[in-house]
Amino acid sequence: MLDCLVAPLQYRDGVGWMNCMTSDEHAVAVVEIPPQFETYTAAALLRVQCLFPALRFAQNQNGVKVYGSTIADEESFRRTLLHAVYREKIYAETLSMRRDLISAVTA
């Protein structure tokens, strides 16, 4: 009955699945993620999942498919998702700099 993942993110046939979804569900939205941000999408989806607990996400090569109940304001949801991906990119790219700064201050 369920095509689901047990771990927060599991790849099956090159597709990342967040939460569980039934095989008969159809995507209520598709958000394209630019290729340069693909590596940050999975971590961002974990954060977005907290904001939208009724939705489920499937990451694919072109972006993210959203499953679940309908989204009242798709443009706002799209902005929220893309903002989370961008924030994750900034976090990942500045992590080493922040670590160096903290070690220099605390040494």
Side-chain angles (χ1 to χ4, degrees):
M1 179 179 169
L2 291 178
D3 287 330
C4 93
L5 83 108
V6 178
L9 181 64
Q10 175 181 356
Y11 285 94
R12 183 177 11 165
D13 301 327
V15 178
W17 296 81
M18 301 294 293
N19 276 339
C20 295
M21 64 187 69
T22 60
S23 58
D24 60 344
E25 285 184 293
H26 299 287
V28 294
V30 176
V31 179
E32 291 186 23
I33 305 292
Q36 65 266 30
F37 294 100
E38 285 178 0
T39 56
Y40 311 105
T41 303
L45 287 177
L46 287 174
R47 295 175 191 244
V48 172
Q49 194 171 336
C50 294
L51 298 173
F52 303 96
L55 300 177
R56 288 160 311 285
F57 307 94
Q59 181 181 356
N60 60 21
Q61 292 81 11
N62 300 329
V64 176
K65 289 185 180 181
V66 182
Y67 298 87
S69 60
T70 57
I71 301 170
D73 186 0
E74 285 190 37
E75 187 58 35
S76 176
F77 172 79
R78 182 181 170 280
R79 276 193 309 264
T80 301
L81 179 60
L82 292 175
H83 180 72
V85 172
Y86 186 69
R87 285 184 60 185
E88 187 59 35
K89 178 183 185 297
I90 292 170
Y91 174 79
E93 289 179 350
T94 60
L95 184 59
S96 63
M97 181 176 56
R98 285 182 283 120
R99 284 183 180 155
D100 292 343
L101 180 62
I102 290 172
S103 66
V105 171
T106 58

